[in-house]
């Protein structure tokens, strides 16, 4: 019964309210000229009644009034058409009640949408002009505005246009003692000052002084008003002019005093928001140089440091401490690095070139152009100085908002080398010329050519007509000394089979006499026999002879000619083993007879010893490892030429050190480590008397003491085993050294007893590129926490913030049989420091800072000798030793192998190029044609010297290809591998991170390499151009790299549909009537299934404008290789798969090299399927051409290896390589967007 009565009352009330609004609407409908006094009285009556009704109702009934949108429109019209104070007061009162005090969001939005803010500002504007409106009405209007203003995005602009800013400011002044009124006034004022134009305007009218007055009056009681006043000051001081006014009026000490008072008062941390607001004001003020000066003079750094230290263990204060640390770091004195010159302490004279002027030879104006300098910059790193720029599309260096260009616009014309010029590379493709066909009678049509010594064409002869090439010629820089002349670098090896042994013998004749191969036995002095082609008279066969009764291994040339051919796994089924042996045995006597050579008896014990089969398990990486011989390394190191003289050989390099056998966990950093390190740095500035500041190592002095003619590194040795345990009686400080191959450490300053600042050396002839480090440390005390701070890092972030540890090698552990590189360190982090970068290192931009990579190490043994490095080192001498030893155990019955010198580098070091494939099945026409028709795989690595992980992957690739594994033999029978394992030997030798001796990133010189300044790139590209010229374009090209800011291993490829050029057709993937050959996506999918460390989610196929000069894009666009890749491997570890949260180690990297090779067979099947596709445009009528070309590529690739296969330990190559492709299921090509993972939160 009661509910019925309530409903009746509600209906009656609703009807009454509706009638009142209708009456008000009817009255307002009359024009202002026809309105009478009675009408005005009627409006007053209605508004008063509505106000009384709304005031007496609950929230539900008020919401019912707002649901009728016409009611709000009537109220707005009333305010617009009436200037009577009573009516305005009544309507404003109604609005206050309708909005309510809590949860006003929806109601506020409704009123804003009906123009309430605009009409209220108009009323305030008229009030400011005639000053007739009562103060209480103005306050009520501000109350409405304070509740709905946050929903109006143009609130601040409307206030400025209606000229009410100063009206509100005057009200604040007059109500400074009325905290109830101040609360709504300051709320509105805060909305005003959110606009920067309003803030600047109000700052000119003493608003800052008013806000400081309010804060002083609030005390500790009126915290809500104090918070609003501080927020207003924060908004105001975002303007530089207002910050300057605050500084000028002595505001910095006042703000610091306020912060100190609240820190002491708020012991229970109930008002953290107030203290944070104060710090935000200080943060704005210290953006100015004068503000920082005032802050330091007021001892602000000490105040914030001490107050932060008192609460540093409180987690809820973390945001406050972080803000305080930002202010302190900003205000710490910004010092230059404590070195005499930012230029590398190592320089190297460069030859003059008519084709290219190195950047290091340009003046500052030429190098930087018109780059404007910035007096103060909060940016801290050169974005283009990042290894991610080698191939990471997430960090663009070109402008995405540039207008679309027509196809091909922006591409520089390709420089075509003549066929005659490219013929200089015939020598590097002996597989195409060595063998001639046998006649049915068994006699060759002409002599069988076998690798032999040959005359070397002069380098300059290849460039006699270079001026005819359409390229831009530039004058040599005048600051390059003419005394060095135009040096030439040999592009070809000294012999057709230019092995590592022959190269070293040329430098040091005693090496061949002294080197011992360990388990392979020593070399012996040999006699030689030479065969001559009877038609041409040229020497075609050179054979070293050993004493017949010797039990030692024969040289490879003898092995090649004497051993019978072993039956290969996939030889033709039509031939039996017996037939092959018979044919081979017949061919050999005729071969030797034609050359007038008497066959040499082969020691049977040697053949038996070398015919032992190896395990075919491709999962055991150690199967292909050799016993690393330190004596070979030492001898080969004597031929390595550096830009400065080395002092020693590094112990880990001499002994071929690798990582721990089992992967190590990523570092899980404890909370507050980075913050603690920052505060320790600040403590140095506050207490300079506690800092030792003593230089304990200075590479500049060591280099300057060395004579210019002492660059030869002969007679280098390592005596670390004799030094361990010895104490330096002159000092208790650590001792450092980096004067060895790939070493990088410029200067060390002892800061505290167990803390050292380390400064890295930039790349030779440059003033930047700091990341790679490799140095020796000794004279330590066991179990003491030594902190190392590398203080001149340049990148914005590092994997040191994401779990990566540096690596360390202990000589004492090695002597005890535990010689491994180990991940070490605690309290590891990476952060911006107070050392300022010179404009010379930042492209002319001033104000950028260096970053610190810090880690703490506890050494296990006292007086040990340890080596610390950014990643597992892999030096040039290590590579040469590895190749040298591989040649010592080469099985030439199965493996066709050549190691030749492609060219000499600027520093005079040989650049090896390898040819690896299987020997021909037979020497008849069919066998030789099959041998020559094998597709090419072209691999390269180490164009960036600091990316040593690339060399470890390359080692895994070469070891597998040279192994006796049946899988490797199958692969060799399918492909010919051309490998340039180290594109930048000079950079690797001299400890560079990114550049060569010419001080340029060689991976940005593929478009137009200079033959004199970039010889390795010029001739590597020449090899690829040669293959393209003879219609042997590689099936796959891959350049191995390392990545410092992402995890896992992944590939970058090239997709025309993702190119920066719209409708890009100047590439090999867009051919004929097919829109795009998506075969390049097959290899990443196979690797994702085959290798646990590989992540397809990280792969990308974007072609950026900034990458047009890199190897990947140049080989794709100019050479025509569809499957042109960059392989990126993380320095850190993995975040997915079996290796999740584990560091990358050398075994995982070598495994990647092996798996990459295994996967290539499936890529060959993909390529064949694509070539056999019908013309889709004719068969489908062109209706679904784009889709079919993408989906029906014949990608009969086993992206997911069967569980049974995995259980049996089989690899991708366990599949029948000769099976019919048509029986396999074609896989859909998922056009997935690349999901980039960026875990580098700073």
């Amino acid at each position: 019964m009661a509910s019925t009565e309530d409903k009746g009352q509600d209906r009656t009330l609703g009807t009454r309210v509706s009638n009142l609004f209708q009456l008000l609407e009817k009255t307002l409908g009359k024009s202002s000229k026809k309105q009478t006094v009675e009408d005005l009285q009627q409006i007053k009556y209605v508004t008063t009644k509505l106000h009384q009704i709304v005031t007496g109702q609950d929230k539900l009934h008020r919401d019912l009034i707002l649901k009728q949108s016409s009611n709000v429109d009537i109220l707005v019209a009333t305010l617009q058409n009436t200037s009577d104070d009573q009516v305005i007061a009544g309507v404003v009162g109604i609005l206050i009640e309708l909005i309510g005090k809590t949860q006003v969001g929806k109601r506020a939005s409704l009123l804003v949408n009906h123009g309430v803010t605009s009409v209220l500002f108009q009323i305030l504007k008229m009030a400011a002009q005639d000053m007739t409106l009562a103060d209480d009405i103005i306050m009520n209007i501000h109350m409405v505005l304070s509740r709905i203003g946050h929903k109006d995005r143009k609130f601040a602009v409307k206030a400025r246009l209606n000229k009410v800013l100063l009206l509100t400011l005057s009200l604040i002044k007059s109500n400074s003692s009325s905290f109830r009124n101040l609360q709504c006034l300051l709320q509105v004022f805060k909305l005003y000052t959110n606009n920067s134009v309003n803030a600047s305007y109000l700052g000119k009218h003493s608003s800052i002084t008013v806000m400081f007055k309010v804060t002083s009056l609030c005390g500790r009681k009126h915290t809500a008003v104090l918070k609003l006043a501080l927020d207003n000051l924060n908004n105001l001081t975002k303007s530089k002019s207002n910050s300057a006014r605050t500084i000028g009026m002595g505001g910095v000490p006042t703000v610091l005093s306020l912060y100190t008072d609240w820190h002491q008062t708020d012991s229970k941390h109930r008002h953290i928001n107030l203290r944070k607001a104060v710090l935000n004001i200080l943060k704005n003020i210290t953006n100015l140089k004068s503000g920082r000066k005032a802050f330091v003079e007021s001892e602000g750094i000490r105040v914030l440091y001490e107050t932060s230290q008192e609460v540093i263990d409180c987690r809820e204060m973390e945001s406050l401490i972080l803000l305080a640390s930002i202010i302190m770091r900003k205000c710490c004195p910004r010092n230059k690095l404590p070195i005499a010159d930012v230029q590398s302490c190592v320089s190297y004279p460069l030859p003059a070139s008519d084709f290219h002027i190195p950047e290091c030879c340009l003046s500052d104006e030429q190098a930087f152009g018109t780059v404007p300098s910035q007096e103060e910059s909060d940016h801290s790193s050169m974005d283009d100085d990042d290894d991610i720029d080698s191939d990471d599309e997430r960090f663009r260096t070109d402008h995405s908002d540039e207008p679309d260009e027509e196809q091909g616009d922006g591409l520089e014309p390709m420089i075509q080398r003549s066929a005659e010029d490219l013929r200089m590379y015939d020598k590097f493709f002996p597989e195409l010329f060595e063998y001639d066909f046998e006649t049915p009678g068994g006699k060759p049509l002409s002599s069988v050519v076998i690798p032999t010594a040959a005359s070397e064409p002069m380098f300059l002869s290849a460039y006699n007509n270079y001026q005819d090439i359409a390229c831009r010629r530039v004058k040599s820089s005048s600051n390059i000394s003419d005394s060095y002349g135009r040096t030439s670098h040999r592009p070809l090896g000294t012999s057709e089979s230019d092995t590592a042994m022959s190269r070293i013998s040329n430098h040091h004749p005693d090496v061949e006499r002294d080197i011992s191969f360990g388990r392979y036995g020593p070399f012996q002095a040999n006699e030689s026999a030479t065969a001559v082609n009877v038609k041409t008279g040229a020497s075609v066969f050179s054979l070293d002879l050993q004493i017949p009764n010797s039990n030692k291994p024969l040289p490879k040339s003898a092995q090649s000619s004497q051993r019978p051919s072993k039956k290969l796994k996939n030889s033709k089924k039509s031939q039996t083993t017996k037939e092959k042996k018979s044919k081979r045995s017949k061919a050999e006597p005729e071969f030797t007879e034609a050359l007038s050579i008497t066959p040499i008896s082969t020691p049977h014990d040697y053949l038996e010893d070398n015919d032992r089969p190896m395990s075919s398990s491709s999962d055991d990486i150690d199967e292909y490892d050799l016993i690393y011989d330190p004596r070979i390394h030492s001898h080969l190191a004597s031929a390595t030429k550096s830009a400065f003289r080395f002092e020693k050989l590094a112990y880990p390099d001499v002994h071929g050190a690798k990582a721990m056998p089992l992967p190590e966990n990523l570092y899980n950093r404890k909370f507050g480590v980075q913050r603690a390190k920052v505060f320790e740095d600040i403590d140095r500035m506050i207490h300079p008397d506690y800092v030792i500041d003593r230089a304990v190592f200075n590479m500049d002095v060591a280099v300057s003491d060395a004579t210019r003619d002492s660059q030869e590194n002969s007679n280098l040795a390592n005596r670390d085993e004799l030094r361990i345990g010895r104490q330096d009686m002159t000092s208790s400080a650590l001792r450092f050294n980096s004067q060895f191959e790939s070493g990088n450490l410029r200067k060390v300053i002892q800061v505290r007893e167990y803390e050292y600042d380390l400064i890295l050396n930039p790349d030779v002839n440059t003033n930047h590129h700091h990341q790679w480090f490799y140095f020796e440390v000794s004279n330590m005390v066991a179990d003491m926490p030594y902190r190392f701070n590398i203080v001149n890092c340049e990148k914005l972030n590092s994997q040191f913030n994401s779990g990566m540890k540096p690596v360390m090698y202990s000589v004492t552990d090695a002597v005890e049989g535990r010689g491994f590189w180990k991940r070490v360190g605690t309290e590891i982090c990476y952060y911006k420091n107070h050392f300022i970068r010179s404009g010379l290192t930042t492209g002319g931009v001033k104000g950028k800072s260096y970053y610190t990579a810090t880690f703490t190490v506890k050494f296990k043994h006292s007086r040990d000798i340890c080596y610390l490095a950014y990643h597992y080192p892999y030096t040039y001498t290590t590579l040469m030793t590895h190749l040298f030893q591989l040649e010592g155990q080469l099985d030439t019955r199965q493996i066709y192998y050549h190691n030749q010198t492609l060219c000499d580098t600027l520093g005079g070091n040989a650049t090896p190029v390898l040819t690896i494939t299987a020997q021909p099945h037979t020497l008849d026409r069919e066998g030789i044609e099959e041998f020559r028709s094998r597709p090419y795989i072209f691999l390269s690595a180490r164009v960036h010297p600091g990316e040593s992980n690339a060399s470890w992957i390359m080692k895994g690739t070469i070891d597998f290809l040279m192994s006796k594994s049946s899988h490797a033999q199958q692969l060799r029978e399918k492909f010919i591998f051309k490998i340039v394992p180290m594109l930048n030997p000079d950079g690797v030798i001299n400890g560079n991170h990114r550049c060569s001796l010419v001080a340029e990133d060689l991976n940005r010189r593929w478009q137009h390499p200079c033959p004199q300044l970039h010889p390795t790139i010029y001739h590597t590209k020449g090899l690829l151009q040669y293959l393209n010229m003879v219609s042997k374009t590689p099936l796959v090209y891959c350049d191995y790299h390392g990545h410092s800011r992402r995890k896992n291993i992944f590939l970058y490829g090239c997709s025309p549909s993702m190119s920066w050029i719209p409708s890009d057709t100047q590439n090999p993937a867009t051919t004929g009537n097919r829109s795009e050959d998506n075969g390049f996506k097959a290899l990443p999918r196979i690797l994702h299934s085959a290798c646990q460390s590989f992540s397809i989610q990280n792969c990308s196929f974007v072609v950026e404008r900034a990458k047009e000069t890199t190897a990947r894009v140049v080989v794709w666009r100019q050479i025509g290789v569809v499957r042109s890749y960059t392989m990126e491997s993380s320095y850190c570890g993995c975040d997915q798969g079996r290796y999740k949260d584990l560091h990358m180690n050398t075994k995982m990297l070598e495994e990647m090299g092996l798996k990459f090779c295994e996967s290539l067979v499936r890529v060959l099947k993909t390529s064949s399927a694509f070539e056999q596709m019908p013309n889709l445009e004719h068969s489908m009528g062109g209706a679904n051409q784009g889709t079919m070309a993408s989906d029906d590529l014949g990608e009969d690739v086993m992206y997911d290896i069967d569980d049974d296969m995995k259980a049996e330990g089989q690899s991708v190559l366990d599949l029948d390589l000769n099976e019919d492709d048509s029986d396999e299921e074609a896989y859909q090509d998922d056009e997935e967007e690349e999901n980039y993972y960026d875990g580098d939160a700073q």
Side-chain angles (χ1 to χ4, degrees), residues 196-197 199-201 203 208 233-246 284-285 288:
S196 59
V197 177
S200 297
Y201 176 78
I208 298 174
L233 275 174
N234 180 33
N235 290 341
L236 288 168
T237 52
K238 289 177 182 178
S239 165
K240 290 185 178 180
S241 59
N242 287 340
S243 291
R245 293 186 183 96
T246 305
N284 295 336
I285 293 173
L288 296 182

Side-chain angles (χ1 to χ4, degrees), residues 930-1200:
E930 183 278 332
F931 175 75
R932 294 177 177 173
S933 65
R934 295 171 186 169
Y936 278 85
I937 304 295
F938 203 108
L939 306 176
S940 60
R942 210 66 184 277
V943 69
H944 294 146
E947 296 168 1
S948 60
N949 38 3
S951 283
W952 286 106
I953 295 180
M954 181 60 76
K955 180 182 182 299
T957 295
I958 295 174
D959 282 352
F960 177 69
L961 292 177
M962 296 287 285
S963 71
K964 296 180 182 179
S965 163
S966 60
H967 296 152
Q969 179 62 19
Q970 293 176 52
L971 193 66
R972 291 191 294 265
E973 291 176 356
K974 291 291 182 181
F975 300 108
I976 299 174
F977 288 86
K978 286 289 178 185
I979 301 175
V980 183
M982 192 169 286
L983 284 168
N984 192 351
D986 289 341
V988 173
I989 292 168
N990 293 287
N992 288 5
H993 167 60
R994 194 171 185 85
C995 300
S996 65
L997 294 182
V998 78
E1000 292 177 340
D1001 182 351
L1002 293 184
N1003 201 37
R1004 292 296 186 276
R1005 297 301 168 195
W1006 279 81
Q1007 186 88 8
H1008 303 303
C1010 174
Q1012 293 166 303
L1013 298 176
H1014 319 121
T1016 60
I1017 304 301
Y1018 181 82
H1019 293 297
T1020 302
K1021 185 178 180 182
L1023 296 179
L1024 289 159
Q1025 290 173 319
Y1026 178 90
L1027 286 172
N1028 185 256
M1029 179 186 71
V1030 298
S1031 301
K1032 294 282 187 180
T1033 301
L1035 175 69
V1036 172
Y1037 170 78
C1038 190
D1039 192 23
Y1040 294 177
H1041 282 258
H1043 206 290
S1044 68
R1045 285 174 45 162
R1046 298 177 75 180
K1047 292 183 173 66
N1048 309 312
I1049 302 175
F1050 48 95
L1051 290 179
Y1052 291 127
C1054 300
S1055 170
S1057 62
M1058 304 179 73
S1059 172
W1060 65 276
I1061 302 176
S1063 303
D1064 189 352
T1065 59
Q1066 293 191 11
N1067 61 81
T1070 304
T1071 57
N1073 293 321
R1074 300 185 181 96
S1075 63
E1076 183 175 338
D1077 175 4
N1078 274 318
F1080 58 84
K1081 295 186 179 179
L1083 182 58
R1085 293 172 184 267
I1086 301 169
L1087 289 172
H1088 184 70
S1089 297
C1091 188
Q1092 292 292 327
S1093 57
F1094 189 88
S1095 171
I1096 197 170
Q1097 286 78 17
N1098 293 122
C1099 295
S1100 175
F1101 305 97
V1102 176
V1103 180
E1104 290 190 274
R1105 184 172 190 171
K1107 306 300 186 298
E1108 285 292 338
T1109 57
T1110 61
R1112 170 176 61 101
V1113 180
V1114 168
V1115 173
W1116 175 71
R1117 192 179 295 283
Q1118 295 185 11
I1119 310 300
V1121 180
V1122 175
R1123 297 163 185 82
S1124 179
Y1125 304 102
T1126 297
M1127 180 189 291
E1128 298 279 2
S1129 55
S1130 174
Y1131 291 104
C1132 181
C1134 298
D1135 59 15
Q1136 49 90 51
R1138 192 178 80 186
Y1139 298 135
K1140 183 177 181 181
D1141 297 330
L1142 295 176
H1143 273 105
M1144 202 80 70
N1145 64 12
T1146 56
K1147 186 172 183 179
M1148 293 162 61
L1149 293 169
E1150 292 182 62
E1151 178 192 45
M1152 182 67 240
L1154 181 153
K1155 295 297 183 183
F1156 179 85
C1157 292
E1158 287 187 341
S1159 303
L1160 291 173
V1161 175
R1162 309 308 299 177
V1163 175
L1164 179 61
K1165 299 170 72 65
T1166 304
S1167 175
S1168 301
F1170 183 81
E1171 292 172 357
Q1172 296 170 6
M1173 286 177 56
N1175 189 316
L1176 295 174
E1177 184 175 13
H1178 294 292
S1179 62
M1180 301 296 295
N1184 298 316
Q1185 178 182 349
T1187 304
M1188 293 300 295
S1190 173
D1191 295 343
D1192 295 345
L1193 292 175
E1195 294 184 20
D1196 40 12
V1197 182
M1198 298 201 66
Y1199 300 135
D1200 297 312

Side-chain angles (χ1 to χ4, degrees), residues 20-21 44-57 75 86 89-98 140:
L20 289 173
F21 272 107
K44 290 180 180 180
Y45 170 77
V46 172
T47 54
T48 303
K49 282 296 182 182
L50 284 173
H51 186 232
Q52 292 175 354
I53 293 173
V54 172
T55 303
Q57 299 301 313
L75 293 176
Q86 184 178 346
V91 175
V92 171
I94 295 171
L95 293 175
I96 291 173
E97 295 299 330
L98 291 177
N140 286 339

Side-chain angles (χ1 to χ4, degrees), residues 504 508 511 514-517 627-640 646 648-657 713-718 740-742 774 873-885 989:
I504 301 307
H508 300 276
V511 172
D514 295 341
I515 290 183
S516 172
F517 272 82
I627 298 176
Y628 200 86
D629 195 323
R631 290 167 291 181
I632 297 176
H633 183 102
S634 299
H635 277 288
L636 295 180
S638 64
T640 300
F646 295 147
K648 59 177 293 187
L649 300 178
Y651 191 94
D653 301 336
V654 172
H655 294 270
N713 293 307
S714 58
N715 302 321
L716 293 180
N718 182 278
F740 47 80
E741 187 175 356
S742 293
Y774 183 20
Y874 193 97
T875 66
Y876 172 77
T877 304
T878 301
L879 170 67
M880 303 305 283
T881 304
H882 180 220
L883 297 179
F884 188 90
Q885 293 194 250
I989 292 168

